[in-house]
Amino acid sequence: MNDIRNRKDIELMVDTFYGSVREDDLLGPIFNRVIKNNWPKHLDTMYRFWQTVLLHEFAYKGLPFVPHRKLPVEAHHFERWIYYTKLDL
């Protein structure tokens, strides 16, 4: 696993992670149902969020937890989510 140094590294991380999540039999249907055909916009938001958090380049403005709190997820969904964060994708 390499250190994240720039926006391209963030894009690779986010694209790889969400590529796996979108294909997952448990998480994919939830995210695909909510995001629909707006994946490019969602991914750009994720790039900007992580750019702000990891690189301290203030590209994201918003409240990240507000839209997520409406998702129909439970503990087992979160456990699966965490599984993907631990993979060296």
Side-chain angles (χ1 to χ4, degrees), residues 1 17 78-89:
M1 186 179 311
F17 178 79
F78 188 67
E79 289 168 10
R80 182 75 62 93
W81 180 269
I82 294 299
Y83 165 79
Y84 284 110
T85 66
K86 294 180 181 180
L87 294 179
D88 188 14
L89 300 172

Side-chain angles (χ1 to χ4, degrees), residues 18-26 28-29 32 84:
Y18 276 100
S20 296
V21 167
R22 290 170 73 175
E23 298 295 322
D24 184 81
D25 61 336
L26 181 64
N32 289 318
Y84 284 110

Side-chain angles (χ1 to χ4, degrees), residues 56-89:
H56 306 286
E57 298 173 359
F58 299 99
Y60 174 81
K61 294 179 180 150
L63 302 169
F65 298 106
V66 172
H68 292 90
R69 106 180 134 198
K70 297 177 187 176
L71 292 174
V73 295
E74 298 174 3
H76 67 282
H77 295 100
F78 188 67
E79 289 168 10
R80 182 75 62 93
W81 180 269
I82 294 299
Y83 165 79
Y84 284 110
T85 66
K86 294 180 181 180
L87 294 179
D88 188 14
L89 300 172

Side-chain angles (χ1 to χ4, degrees), residues 30-42:
I30 295 169
F31 283 87
N32 289 318
R33 183 173 50 248
V34 172
I35 296 172
K36 299 178 182 153
N37 292 328
N38 296 316
W39 275 101
K41 181 180 177 189
H42 181 70

